[in-house]
Amino acid sequence: MNLTSWSTAYVLAGVAAACVVLTVWTWPRLARTGWGWVAARLAVIGVTQLVTVTALLAAVNADYQFYGSWSDLFGTGKTAPVAIGPNASGTALTTRTALIEPGATSLLKGVSGIPSAPASRNGRVESVRVIGRRTGVIDPAFVYLPPEYFQKAYARQRFPVVLAMSGYPGSIYNLAQGLRVWQISQQLMRQGRMQPTVIVEIRPTIAPPRDTECVNVPGGPQTETFLAKDLPDALKATYRVGHSATAWGALGYSSGGTCALQLAMRDPGVFTSAAALSPDFTIHQDITTGNLFGSGVSRQKRIDSHDLYWRLRHLPIPQVSVLVAASRHGDENIYPKAREFLRLAKAPMRTASIFPAHGVHNFSTWTSEMPAALAWQSQQLIFPQDVAPRHAAGKAHPGAKGGRGAGAGSRVAHDKPVLRAERRRAVGAAATAR
């Protein structure tokens, strides 16, 4: 049975109902004295409660898709590639590269707003599995390709990428159905508030049920390496996406927002912007994370390096753009921390904020913040980039100002007039640049 399927929840609910009926039917027969009969009654109660709770948890998981499979739940998933699928161009990928292969289409069941054909008009959503060449990690993802990706006029263009990450213990289903990230992006693109962008939805929980907080755990899961090296390599090898860091941005909510900030500030050569909704600015260890930083003389150094306040006080400020969102009332644990983070951030870092008056740590608040966050991030990314640029590899086109709101202020020589017009549109009053 598929762990994300409602049929699993219905079967378990039926079993729970049968257990209740059997408990009622057998109870008079168990009403006898003696420790053996007491133990039997306790066993009947225990089994009935266990099955009932399991059915409830299965229903919750089917709705929110915290765990995509039984192997995810028990942490026994595959850690090395076993099959190679075709990439977007129909060319087989080799085992020497980071891989993307077709994923389970069942993950898209229940997601509303799936684009219909033709892709050149409505875009396309692909369910894939990302296979890390360095880490051996296999992680499911949704990839939204905008209509322009399939249009002849853009056949030689590379597209910017927004990497959207879920919180813990969330899944890509939360991003697709709960926050509707690519659906909102699609709407913004049609309105001219966002440039054509590839949206990649992924969970940073690469070793479920453990929460690794986007950290390379000594002797354990290498989450940062997967997200900052394996994933970009796999996407660049499979799709026409930008090869320059100025085309890459990270976005997330809750611990996914923390991860977005960590990636931009620790790996500015990969991600030059981050939009974080209700993030934290330090890494906290608890029962879900275990020991993230190891032991020995290097432990405190690793802790400090993931403390964003410490980095702003003691290390050179990275040339990146960041947006943080937190409600002034209802998100009191995060709002003052966000204010402190913005106070410490100095040039060349550029900052923006979304500080609504009211909101709590939930999807309703984050969904209301998503359009402004996506529109802001689109302005930070460069588009288009040539598939075969005339200039040296890795260098931006003339006029491009990488890493400091490049998409908003730069003009690429071959920009189409409509794209130049789109870039001049305001993000919206909710995202207030500092």
Side-chain angles (χ1 to χ4, degrees), residues 265 268 310-319 346-349:
M265 295 187 64
W310 186 93
R311 296 185 70 90
L312 290 174
R313 291 187 178 106
H314 297 92
L315 298 180
I317 304 295
Q319 191 171 342
K346 310 293 182 184
M349 182 184 289

Side-chain angles (χ1 to χ4, degrees), residues 55-74:
L56 290 173
L57 293 177
V60 171
N61 190 71
D63 196 17
Y64 290 98
Q65 307 232 338
F66 293 121
Y67 298 98
S69 65
W70 295 101
S71 60
D72 283 350
L73 177 63
F74 296 110

Side-chain angles (χ1 to χ4, degrees), residues 131 233 308:
I131 303 174
D233 284 354
L308 300 187

Side-chain angles (χ1 to χ4, degrees), residues 110-124:
V111 177
S112 59
I114 301 293
S116 58
S120 60
R121 180 183 301 172
N122 299 315
R124 186 167 73 198

Side-chain angles (χ1 to χ4, degrees), residues 45-277:
I45 294 173
V47 170
T48 301
Q49 290 184 335
L50 177 62
V51 174
T52 301
V53 171
T54 301
L56 290 173
L57 293 177
V60 171
N61 190 71
D63 196 17
Y64 290 98
Q65 307 232 338
F66 293 121
Y67 298 98
S69 65
W70 295 101
S71 60
D72 283 350
L73 177 63
F74 296 110
T76 59
K78 295 179 289 183
T79 58
V82 296
I84 300 175
N87 62 14
S89 302
T91 305
L93 297 172
T94 70
T95 55
R96 299 174 188 172
T97 64
L99 303 176
I100 285 183
E101 65 178 28
T105 57
S106 60
L107 292 177
L108 287 169
K109 291 182 179 179
V111 177
S112 59
I114 301 293
S116 58
S120 60
R121 180 183 301 172
N122 299 315
R124 186 167 73 198
V125 175
E126 297 183 349
S127 175
V128 302
R129 297 197 311 161
V130 181
I131 303 174
R133 175 169 57 89
R134 298 170 183 81
T135 60
V137 169
I138 299 178
D139 211 19
F142 292 149
V143 178
Y144 170 75
L145 304 171
E148 289 82 359
Y149 189 92
F150 304 96
Q151 296 172 7
K152 187 176 180 179
Y154 296 84
R156 289 182 55 81
Q157 304 302 333
R158 297 190 186 276
F159 290 77
V161 178
V162 170
L163 177 63
M165 291 171 287
S166 63
Y168 177 84
S171 72
I172 53 178
Y173 185 83
N174 297 139
L175 294 162
Q177 185 64 16
L179 291 186
R180 301 178 59 80
V181 176
W182 59 258
Q183 295 92 327
I184 293 174
S185 300
Q186 184 182 50
Q187 183 179 10
L188 293 173
M189 292 178 206
R190 288 173 176 170
Q191 295 172 350
R193 297 176 58 197
M194 187 173 180
Q195 58 189 328
T197 304
V198 173
I199 307 296
V200 180
E201 300 177 345
I202 200 163
R203 58 177 186 181
T205 307
I206 65 169
R210 187 178 185 181
D211 178 14
T212 56
E213 291 284 328
C214 290
V215 171
N216 280 346
V217 181
Q222 303 294 289
T223 310
E224 183 178 5
T225 297
F226 175 74
L227 293 172
K229 297 183 184 298
D230 282 346
L231 177 61
D233 284 354
L235 292 169
K236 291 172 185 178
T238 308
Y239 299 103
R240 294 196 326 274
V241 295
H243 283 203
S244 168
T246 56
W248 286 72
L251 175 148
Y253 67 90
S254 190
S255 62
T258 304
C259 188
L261 291 177
Q262 293 277 339
L263 289 174
M265 295 187 64
R266 290 175 54 84
D267 301 281
V270 181
F271 299 93
T272 54
S273 69
L277 312 182

Side-chain angles (χ1 to χ4, degrees), residues 251-258 260-261 274-281 322-339 341-342 351-362 365-374 376 430-432 434:
L251 175 148
Y253 67 90
S254 190
S255 62
T258 304
L261 291 177
L277 312 182
S278 301
D280 209 338
F281 304 92
V322 297
L323 176 147
V324 294
S327 302
R328 295 194 295 271
H329 302 285
D331 217 357
E332 291 87 351
N333 291 332
I334 296 175
Y335 175 69
K337 298 177 183 178
R339 298 286 298 184
F341 174 81
L342 295 177
T351 62
S353 62
I354 300 175
F355 289 152
H358 299 281
V360 293
H361 204 79
N362 63 15
T365 298
W366 298 324
T367 301
S368 68
E369 297 166 345
M370 189 60 65
L374 285 167
W376 170 87
T432 307
R434 280 173 48 113

